[in-house]
Amino acid sequence: GEQVEQLPSILRVQEGSSASINCTYENSASNYFPWYKQEPGENPKLIIDIRSNMERKQTQGLIVLLDKKAKRFSLHITDTQPGDSAMYFCAASNSGYNKLTFGKGTVLLVSP
Amino acid sequence: GPKVLQIPSHQIIDMGQMVTLNCDPVSNHLYFYWYKQILGQQMEFLVNFYNGKVMEKSKLFKDQFSVERPDGSYFTLKIQPTALEDSAVYFCASSPGGGNTQYFGPGTRLLVL
């Protein structure tokens, strides 16, 4: 199986600062690591993902880092805006059929 | 982006009744999933489905649960009979291939009384 730990559970930042969320996984065979943003009452939406053949990926103010040795991956949101306030979930997959195991989520609150 | 639809958005039923949750996946996707989310918690994998068969299921996918997609119509999750602990939001997801991005539907909020 797979377990994914996600920290912190709540993150408060000021608008314009950066926010970082960290996840660790157990299964060294995990090879796909997506990040989802979920707003209240909405479905989770993929914001960025990284595969095990990469160490870093960046898109539109988001950076993900993957350290396979430490079995750790992280999301960094640069220049946060109030619209970034939401629940963020990391996930890991090691199955060919892509069963996702999610972390418990981080509530990000960006204050103006 | 690609859209997954789910019907109904909300369902309230009495314990012991049967319920069917419907998912209309993205049209060219081949892999389908159900996840369960209890309020304030993470999504938890229930089952995945490919080529007419269940490929993997979790401990949460009890004997009372079943999935099917008859003739390319809705991908359904049936719970018979329902229990109080089945109250949750059920998300359907689909992906074009086994290692590809999963797109989630808006969820069905199920309340079992």
Side-chain angles (χ1 to χ4, degrees):
Chain A
E2 176 64 283
Q3 297 274 353
V4 176
E5 298 296 325
Q6 181 173 350
L7 290 171
S9 53
I10 301 175
L11 181 56
R12 294 185 176 89
V13 300
Q14 287 284 117
E15 181 179 359
S17 64
S18 62
S20 296
I21 304 171
N22 299 291
C23 291
T24 57
Y25 59 98
E26 287 186 348
N27 191 332
S28 54
S30 290
N31 55 16
Y32 175 62
F33 308 92
W35 287 88
Y36 284 85
K37 176 182 180 183
Q38 187 178 28
E39 302 192 61
E42 301 281 324
N43 56 320
K45 294 180 175 64
L46 180 79
I47 54 173
I48 192 169
D49 58 11
I50 191 167
R51 295 188 186 274
S52 56
N53 60 350
M54 299 177 74
E55 294 178 350
R56 176 190 168 99
K57 187 173 178 181
Q58 181 169 356
T59 179
Q60 297 177 332
L62 302 174
I63 300 170
V64 287
L65 302 175
L66 173 62
D67 181 345
K68 285 180 288 186
K69 213 169 189 179
K71 290 190 263 186
R72 182 171 55 221
F73 58 114
S74 56
L75 172 69
H76 306 272
I77 306 173
T78 59
D79 189 24
T80 53
Q81 301 298 310
D84 293 326
S85 296
M87 177 80 97
Y88 290 80
F89 292 99
C90 64
S93 169
N94 62 13
S95 75
Y97 302 108
N98 215 16
K99 174 183 81 173
L100 292 178
T101 300
F102 286 88
K104 289 192 182 297
T106 296
V107 176
L108 175 62
L109 300 168
V110 181
S111 48
Chain B
K3 283 210 179 320
V4 175
L5 306 176
Q6 288 187 242
I7 300 163
S9 58
H10 296 77
Q11 181 86 54
I12 301 174
I13 58 170
D14 292 323
M15 183 176 64
Q17 285 191 313
M18 182 196 76
V19 68
T20 300
L21 310 184
N22 298 290
C23 172
D24 188 9
V26 180
S27 62
N28 61 344
H29 285 189
L30 302 176
Y31 289 78
F32 314 114
Y33 312 81
W34 284 103
Y35 291 85
K36 177 182 180 181
Q37 185 178 39
I38 293 173
L39 186 65
Q41 298 185 21
Q42 76 270 42
M43 279 72 64
E44 293 186 278
F45 171 81
L46 287 175
V47 66
N48 55 16
F49 190 85
Y50 168 72
N51 199 26
K53 290 190 282 249
V54 169
M55 305 312 297
E56 295 174 289
K57 57 185 180 181
S58 73
K59 288 181 295 192
L60 295 179
F61 194 78
K62 304 179 295 185
D63 291 343
Q64 297 90 325
F65 288 34
S66 62
V67 292
E68 63 175 355
R69 192 184 187 212
D71 299 324
S73 60
Y74 288 145
F75 175 51
T76 62
L77 174 65
K78 185 188 293 187
I79 310 174
Q80 180 177 29
T82 50
L84 296 176
E85 60 265 26
D86 297 330
S87 295
V89 181
Y90 290 83
F91 288 101
C92 172
S94 71
S95 67
N100 298 113
T101 298
Q102 290 180 37
Y103 295 90
F104 283 75
T108 293
R109 282 141 190 83
L110 176 65
L111 179 59
V112 181
L113 301 176

